[in-house]
Amino acid sequence: MFPISIKFGASLEECGHLLKVARELGVEVIGVSFHVGSNSSDPHCFSESIANARGVFDLGADLGHEMTLLDIGGGFPGSDDFIVTFEEIAKVINQSLEVHFPAETGVNIIAEPGRYYVASAFTLAVNIIGKKCLPWNKDTFRECAKSVKYYINDGGFGSFSDIFHCHFTQKAVPYKQSVGQPLYSSSVWGPTCTAEDLLFNHAQLPELQVGDWLIFENMGAYTVSLSTHFNGFSIPRVHFCISSKIW
Ligand SMILES: Cc1ncc(COP(=O)(O)O)c(C=O)c1O
């Protein structure tokens, strides 16, 4: 979902050239590192990259490089409700490693999981700071049950920068009990001056009031770390919690 290779890395053709030049300069190349891009939705990106890495190892060996390290990077999901699970990705990776880098090759294999470790560690609680009820559906120009706009105290320039990459997948869950209440087509907006600060367009939410809380799970990766003070809004405070049972 985040194609890192548009900025970094080398094509297979370039790898041949780099290995050759390294050899000429007496630079020791010890392995291959790749990153399929964060939140990868297709496990075959990993198997294809592992197969390509095998090709680079073979090229390196032909040129006299002793390569012993394969770094398969990050890209693993951080929540169980993602399009593909960590286990499904791990299965494809293991099968591919078995084919291209079996244990007897002696190659050390490492990964750099980021999102996988931290996403589920943090839950974001945001506050509704404004509300607008629209009696008309602006798309159909027909009266609808009710369509509501909520403005919250965090947004695309804060913890939700993923919305600008169209990769935001987490659901908003109202904190207050709302079982059995009617749901309304709702849009949820960040607090800043720009109309691009839109988190959801057609979320089905019960009617909420200013001051109510919305909860977003799995918000530990690429969220507060990317927050800005744009428009003077502060960065969310972090509170560390543990249940009394575990404590
Ligand atoms: C070089 C490198 N390694 C690891 C990571 C972590 O990736 P992820 O969070 O997708 O696991 C990143 C993230 O951009 C990265 O640039």
Side-chain angles (χ1 to χ4, degrees), residues 2 4 8 33-40 71 73-77 111-118 221-222:
F2 295 86
I4 294 177
F8 298 109
S33 157
F34 66 78
H35 193 307
V36 296
S38 204
N39 235 11
S40 176
D71 176 353
F76 308 96
E112 301 176 25
R115 183 187 300 274
Y116 173 75
Y117 278 124
V118 295
Y222 308 108

